[in-house]
Amino acid sequence: MDRPPAAAARIRLFVLLTWTADLGLPLTAVGVLGVEEPSGAWRVSWLPQIGTDQGRPWRDRLAGRTAAPDGALLAVWAASSTCTLDELAPLAPPPDLSTAVEAAVDDLLVPWDPQPVRSRRGRGDPDG
């Protein structure tokens, strides 16, 4: 009896945001959460310049989790008005979950520059 083909892994990436008092909105990025579907693997990477106090709401939410957050929980977190997450546009297929999460963190750490610059992953200059 033939087995159905395994579902292709889908990696979803989310930037974790906390409250920014100066702006009155949750706009401070503190980390990136990666979830691999359907395997349920997950990984979080914290931005290095963020202090533990600023990232505490997310650290508390994720502490002790053994399973990846499911779609319903991700939706609840996305609807939060003070500590939210925002799904990132997918990048070219990464080799694995850890690489995808760390690449997203790298992108968040690169200062925005209005001049197109070719990154290590070859994005940037549309004419390049």
Side-chain angles (χ1 to χ4, degrees):
M1 185 175 209
D2 290 337
R3 295 176 68 184
R10 175 179 173 216
I11 295 175
R12 297 177 69 191
L13 299 172
F14 302 88
V15 62
L16 306 176
L17 303 166
T18 60
W19 189 255
T20 306
D22 294 346
L23 300 173
L25 294 168
L27 295 175
T28 301
V30 296
V32 173
L33 171 68
V35 178
E36 187 175 74
E37 298 169 341
S39 74
W42 67 288
R43 176 165 166 41
V44 66
S45 184
W46 304 105
L47 273 68
Q49 78 273 23
I50 300 300
T52 55
D53 286 343
Q54 189 128 31
R56 180 153 324 280
W58 276 110
R59 291 177 192 278
D60 291 347
R61 277 186 181 175
L62 297 171
R65 291 199 64 82
T66 57
D70 62 16
L73 185 54
L74 291 169
V76 168
W77 288 347
S80 172
S81 61
T82 59
C83 182
T84 189
L85 53 79
D86 192 24
E87 189 160 7
L88 298 170
L91 301 173
D96 57 49
L97 179 61
S98 291
T99 301
V101 170
E102 293 308 320
V105 167
D106 288 348
D107 285 348
L108 289 173
L109 293 175
V110 174
W112 182 79
D113 184 349
Q115 300 299 315
V117 176
R118 184 171 295 282
S119 76
R120 293 190 313 268
R121 289 182 288 286
R123 291 177 292 150
D125 184 357
D127 298 326

